Amino acid sequence: MIRRSRSLALGALAVALTATLAATLPASPADATGSRPPRTGFEESHGARWTTQPEEQRLLAAVDRAGPRAEVDRIGTTEQGRPVQLVRLGAPAPEKARDVRRGNSVLLICSQHGDEPSGREACLSTVRDLAFAEDRATERFLQRTSVLVVPTANPDGRAADTRGNSDGVDINRDHLALKTAEGRAMAAVIRDYRPDTIYDLHEYGPTVPYYMKDLLSLWPRNLNTADAVHREATSLSEDFVEPAVHRAGFSTGVYGIWTDPETGEPLKQVAGDGQERILRNTAGVKGSVGLLVETRVDALTDAERADPARNNRRRVTSQLAALDGAFSFLDRHRGRVEAATTAARLAGYADRGPVYLGGADNDPATDAQTLADPPCAYRLDATQFAQVKDELALHGVNWRKLGSGAVVPLRQPLRGLVPLLLDERADYHLTVAAHMNGCRGVVGGNP
């Protein structure tokens, strides 16, 4: 077997980080035969360029051949014909979705925005390191944790270095409507594997002097996120990601919040609401612990301005530091996370409590944004059902056929999602379905 340059300590990625921006990326040591694990184009160029798609494909092919720990699947195809891929990692790699559901699981979504490549580089090297590691700590971690990775969620956008996909669509605004091939692929993975944690890697442009930390993070703010899931998501951010990033010598903050440069007090919210179509919020509504992580893109020093590769290395290093914290969280909060996500999904069967069509955890919903007494189901006529059937299926929403249409009950695991998809008062509804009351005999379960 081939040794790697990063090993797990206490079940977390103990990344070989350095406090100096001039630090080099460590070379992977050779094994007894002189072979080396595959390296990314970013590593080979010492950060001078980002990994190309052919280089990514060669690395993933090597990972797929590495042994029983890793499997690579094609889960979608972009408009321009590029593959959207999923890497399944474990000891051994989970063969079926039910294998993931038996233990703790995390899904890493990398480079939804094609012009934000540092998270993708961190994901590719992490996939490689987990697949080729020999140490006992990594083996033990992967025996108890399934790691799912979409290394490049927006391949067309990455090829063009654009935020959107080849149609100009922001994929991170398509986790409700599912109009893009990329969004549909990710929705199917979330439906089938039901990951306990969904970790979304991005980059941002700062506003000096109010919004300029090295790395920002944010949990699901959507009010339909179960309380225990929300607590675990904020803990992931505040108790694990932030301290790990600080230990690596970087500063942290909350995404979307400007702060006073003197006192650190919040001044203004400029992004990061509870909008349900954004992945971290979709994750929370679906019962997963979600986290958005954003590293700062612009050069911080004269040395970085003179040498873009130095800036690139700092961006990737901060992403790796945050992942180090996330993996520590997965190991240490394993039981709490599984309890929170399981309870959140089972709570839908009770069909009790309000559903929120707006607001956020720091912005209370108004009466107009609150379904205090939601209908027990929504009724779709034949035309409406034909229009949204595929999207309901991709989300994993249960329905029952009724004549030529369908009934979608609220009594199901995705109770909080159903009105967001079908209620006329929801901001991003797919269609306007009729309210049903008196649902005796109406239960979930698609034919």
Side-chain angles (χ1 to χ4, degrees):
M1 285 290 291
I2 299 170
R3 296 187 181 275
R4 63 173 186 165
S5 58
R6 288 153 59 193
S7 61
L8 284 177
L10 298 175
L13 283 175
V15 185
L17 298 168
T18 175
T20 62
L21 298 179
T24 61
L25 293 168
S28 300
D31 68 4
T33 66
S35 300
R36 292 183 182 274
R39 286 166 63 80
T40 66
F42 179 81
E43 291 169 326
E44 293 288 357
S45 69
H46 196 49
R49 61 177 179 80
W50 306 109
T51 301
T52 66
Q53 186 191 27
E55 288 170 335
E56 175 183 344
Q57 294 308 303
R58 286 194 292 271
L59 183 141
L60 293 181
V63 164
D64 199 35
R65 296 191 302 266
R69 276 197 195 155
E71 300 285 346
V72 180
D73 301 321
R74 185 175 186 140
I75 57 172
T77 302
T78 69
E79 184 71 22
Q80 295 181 345
R82 294 184 175 89
V84 182
Q85 292 168 291
L86 174 72
V87 184
R88 294 176 283 117
L89 292 148
E95 292 187 12
K96 301 181 187 307
R98 64 172 177 265
D99 298 327
V100 170
R101 295 173 188 168
R102 281 201 287 265
N104 204 280
S105 58
V106 60
L107 171 62
L108 308 183
I109 300 291
C110 321
S111 199
Q112 283 201 80
H113 296 146
D115 58 353
E116 300 172 7
S118 70
R120 170 177 176 259
E121 298 296 342
C123 287
L124 288 172
S125 60
T126 296
V127 163
R128 184 266 320 283
D129 290 346
L130 290 174
F132 285 92
E134 283 190 321
D135 60 283
R136 175 57 187 153
T138 302
E139 181 79 12
R140 183 171 178 271
F141 178 78
L142 289 176
Q143 286 173 347
R144 302 190 300 164
T145 308
S146 297
V147 180
L148 309 170
V149 185
V150 179
T152 307
N154 181 5
D156 291 352
R158 176 78 289 273
D161 195 30
T162 57
R163 178 180 176 89
N165 67 3
S166 57
D167 292 325
V169 177
D170 184 338
I171 295 168
N172 202 28
R173 301 298 183 272
D174 188 42
H175 293 289
L176 207 69
L178 305 182
K179 298 303 182 186
T180 65
E182 299 88 349
R184 294 167 79 86
M186 285 181 275
V189 169
I190 295 169
R191 175 198 64 197
D192 294 343
Y193 291 95
R194 293 204 298 266
D196 295 292
T197 301
I198 299 176
Y199 186 94
D200 188 21
L201 295 84
H202 288 259
E203 299 192 78
Y204 84 104
T207 301
V208 179
Y210 305 108
Y211 193 47
M212 50 185 288
K213 302 296 186 181
D214 297 318
L215 188 133
L216 307 173
S217 58
L218 186 62
W219 48 88
R221 288 198 184 277
N222 190 281
L223 292 173
N224 296 298
T225 304
D227 288 345
V229 170
H230 184 269
R231 283 195 300 272
E232 291 305 314
T234 55
S235 178
L236 167 58
S237 175
E238 296 172 352
D239 301 332
F240 290 89
V241 167
E242 288 190 15
V245 173
H246 291 162
R247 287 193 297 271
F250 300 110
S251 60
T252 64
V254 176
Y255 176 73
I257 302 295
W258 283 13
T259 57
D260 187 301
E262 299 295 330
T263 67
E265 292 298 313
L267 295 176
K268 178 182 179 182
Q269 181 167 334
V270 295
D273 60 8
Q275 191 182 123
E276 57 266 25
R277 60 183 184 163
I278 299 171
L279 181 59
R280 63 180 165 80
N281 285 319
T282 306
V285 174
K286 291 185 175 182
S288 294
V289 173
L291 194 71
L292 167 78
V293 172
E294 305 244 1
T295 195
R296 176 178 170 172
V297 300
D298 68 326
L300 301 181
T301 64
D302 289 340
E304 283 193 15
R305 282 184 281 274
D307 180 8
R310 187 183 292 256
N311 176 35
N312 294 343
R313 292 196 299 270
R314 187 259 310 159
R315 290 155 62 183
V316 174
T317 300
S318 63
Q319 291 279 12
L320 289 170
L323 274 172
D324 182 37
F327 276 77
S328 292
F329 167 82
L330 296 170
D331 191 62
R332 292 172 57 186
H333 277 218
R334 180 182 314 278
R336 290 169 50 168
V337 169
E338 290 180 15
T341 58
T342 299
R345 290 155 183 163
L346 291 176
Y349 289 113
D351 192 19
R352 290 196 297 268
V355 176
Y356 300 99
L357 305 177
D361 64 358
N362 61 349
D363 180 23
T366 65
D367 289 345
Q369 295 172 316
T370 304
L371 290 175
D373 185 20
C376 60
Y378 289 88
R379 182 168 183 171
L380 300 167
D381 63 28
T383 300
Q384 291 173 319
F385 184 53
Q387 290 172 342
V388 303
K389 178 179 178 180
D390 289 348
E391 287 70 33
L392 295 179
L394 283 164
H395 282 299
V397 170
N398 294 322
W399 70 79
R400 178 167 292 278
K401 285 284 289 179
L402 184 65
S404 57
V407 170
V408 183
L410 260 68
R411 191 181 298 277
Q412 59 174 298
L414 295 179
R415 176 181 186 265
L417 180 68
V418 171
L420 301 179
L421 298 173
L422 302 178
D423 200 279
E424 63 180 341
R425 290 161 58 187
D427 288 337
Y428 304 104
H429 57 254
L430 305 185
T431 190
V432 176
H435 288 205
M436 289 186 65
N437 295 296
C439 295
R440 184 181 299 276
V442 176
V443 296
N446 303 337

